[in-house]
Amino acid sequence: MHNATIKSLSAELAAGKLSSVELTKHFLKRIKALNAKYNCFLTLDEEASLKQARAADQLRAAGSGRPLTGIPIAQQDSFCARGWLTTCGSRMLSNFVSPYDAHVVERLNAAGAVNLGKTNMDEFAMGSSSETSYYGPVRNPWDVNAVPGGSSGGSAAAVAARLAAGAIGTDTGGSIRQPAALSGICGLKPTYGVVSRYGMVAFASSLDQGGPMARTAEDLAVMMNVMAGFDARDSTSLEREREDYTRELGKPIEGMKIGLPKEFLAEGAAPGVVKAIEAAVAEFRRLGCETVEVSLPNMKLSVPVYYVLAPAEASSNLARYDGVRYGYRAPEYSDLADLYKKTRAQGFGEEVKRRILIGTYVLSHGYYDAYYIQAQKVRRLIARDFAEAFKRCDVIMGPTSPTTAFRIGEKAGDPVRMYLSDIYTIPANLAGLPGMSIPCGFDAKGLPVGLQIIGNYFAEAKMLNLAHQYQSATDWHMKAPPGIDLD
Ligand code: GLN
């Protein structure tokens, strides 16, 4: 049952062939047996999960089941969930039990989904490998000596290892798409403002966006129907009519135009990645799509721009962790200034401190115009490049990540090399555009490759259908990591 998609589990629950209590117990049992191997879950609360499962079974019995009712979903530990430890992968929040639910969590609860547990991640979502977590690195189910990608690596590994049917994560510069690619699953970063950031631990607020991770595009669509929607508590939440993200699934895609940015393959993607992407594009041509070359001339500036803007926003967002109101507090200190210093020195890890330092620097008097303002201008240019490209195509396709999963420790000592892992994903965050990753093959080492689909604003339903059509014609998304028992 753990190999089934959300869609088929939902049908079994609806038909009364399976109860949510059975399903939840089954996943919890697997997690208990396998989590030591992958380190993808940080917190489980069996009683809380089973309580939700029992309530879901009652809803189904009363005839008020909805697609996610009774489905166990893993939650990245950056989403506040009432009564649950919410650490964001940091020592700073190692004792923080959230008194409230994030908007996304509220919506999942209202739909009757079961919170299966909180997943491991890079500290404060800063990273591309899930190695910066205070709670130790997550391991990739395809190769336990490799990283699962990050920052939502715990969620990605959980779905890949069949420890959860679906999961939620956040994407500031690629953290849903890149781990989805490296772990061989699907992930969607929606248009900025579509999913409320209320109760999502803030990293870089103008870039952060929550989204679904699952094994099929159809499942992502079902999750989006619950997760998306206006929320007055997030000032950047968009007030627009509700969408049914499944509405285009199955519509013909003949004649759709796929833009292939010439810069994408020029930017040093590994040969195994290029080969799989070319094969995927050929499959879309077979399915009737046309391809056109487009250009994103400023793409090469996206990593430097991101590493000015994201740390700037992070340095401001993370100022709240001072050891006074909540979270970690240094056990010994002399006065208030010393309390701040020691708490922050002990509570934050190296990568987080690096970002706070960079961010504080670029925002400081004298550097603000040279770095921060300049980066904002280039951000606009990158958004304009996309606007030009979308005059000529419906969606853009290319790799999600320049490489497949790398070894644990391989890039940990070289931040710039690590930052370059997000070269293909960061542009969509800077422009606020939706992007997704779906499995499209393997490299010579047998590690999964992800195809990235970037759409224009609010093109999620169209992108999900393209992915769905591809998944109806191929079976990359059905492949399981070696050694995963599928019965
Ligand atoms: N890897 C990028 C970073 O370290 C993106 C992280 C994210 O999307 N949360 O900032």
Side-chain angles (χ1 to χ4, degrees), residues 76 121-129 132 150-152 170-179 189 203-204 207-209 306-307 310-311 351 355 418-422 425-426 429:
Q76 191 195 27
M121 56 185 288
D122 279 302
E123 185 178 6
F124 285 104
M126 297 174 188
S128 310
S129 65
T132 72
S151 62
S152 312
T170 61
D171 191 312
T172 303
S175 280
I176 288 176
R177 289 160 288 159
Q178 187 259 16
K189 180 203 91 76
F203 164 11
L207 301 155
D208 296 345
Q209 192 60 195
Y306 174 87
Y307 279 97
E351 184 59 31
R355 309 273 179 121
M418 184 73 88
Y419 297 169
L420 288 171
S421 321
D422 299 310
T425 48
I426 284 175
N429 298 78

Side-chain angles (χ1 to χ4, degrees), residues 102-365:
H103 182 251
V104 167
V105 172
E106 260 175 24
R107 294 195 63 103
L108 287 168
N109 290 344
V114 173
N115 180 353
L116 188 59
K118 307 294 293 284
T119 58
N120 202 354
M121 56 185 288
D122 279 302
E123 185 178 6
F124 285 104
M126 297 174 188
S128 310
S129 65
S130 301
E131 291 170 290
T132 72
S133 169
Y134 177 64
Y135 307 96
V138 182
R139 291 174 179 275
N140 191 322
W142 293 89
D143 175 354
V144 290
N145 295 313
V147 304
S151 62
S152 312
S155 284
V159 173
R162 276 57 175 171
L163 301 182
I168 56 175
T170 61
D171 191 312
T172 303
S175 280
I176 288 176
R177 289 160 288 159
Q178 187 259 16
L182 270 48
S183 302
I185 64 155
C186 304
L188 169 71
K189 180 203 91 76
T191 305
Y192 183 78
V194 159
V195 168
S196 166
R197 291 180 296 108
Y198 177 78
M200 231 171 74
V201 178
F203 164 11
S205 310
S206 77
L207 301 155
D208 296 345
Q209 192 60 195
M213 303 170 87
R215 294 216 310 285
T216 66
E218 262 186 317
D219 284 359
L220 296 180
V222 169
M223 288 178 73
M224 273 301 284
N225 277 353
V226 172
M227 296 171 71
F230 176 66
D231 173 20
R233 297 166 300 186
D234 170 2
S235 59
T236 58
S237 173
L238 296 169
E239 205 166 351
R240 47 198 304 279
E241 220 165 287
R242 270 208 153 281
E243 268 189 58
D244 175 5
Y245 290 93
T246 64
R247 70 184 186 277
E248 303 224 353
L249 298 180
K251 282 201 181 155
I253 57 170
E254 280 91 24
M256 277 213 193
K257 282 209 175 71
I258 297 173
L260 302 172
K262 57 174 189 243
E263 294 80 6
F264 262 38
L265 294 175
E267 290 294 333
V273 170
V274 174
K275 220 170 123 193
I277 299 299
E278 282 172 352
V281 170
E283 182 63 39
F284 277 100
R285 278 199 207 100
R286 256 194 299 283
L287 293 170
C289 296
E290 292 165 28
T291 52
V292 285
E293 188 181 272
V294 294
S295 176
L296 301 171
N298 294 294
M299 186 187 123
K300 57 182 181 302
L301 298 173
S302 41
V303 172
V305 162
Y306 174 87
Y307 279 97
V308 170
L309 298 179
E313 294 184 28
S315 72
S316 162
N317 273 326
L318 271 58
R320 72 188 75 182
Y321 304 105
D322 56 7
V324 175
R325 285 158 294 193
Y326 59 94
Y328 179 78
R329 178 185 296 177
E332 283 169 37
Y333 49 89
S334 53
D335 54 19
L336 186 63
D338 196 45
L339 162 74
Y340 292 155
K341 278 191 214 158
K342 293 217 167 84
T343 295
R344 290 169 68 84
Q346 295 164 15
F348 291 135
E350 220 177 278
E351 184 59 31
V352 173
K353 286 180 190 159
R354 182 179 294 125
R355 309 273 179 121
I356 293 174
L357 287 174
I358 299 173
T360 308
Y361 179 84
V362 300
L363 289 177
S364 58
H365 183 72

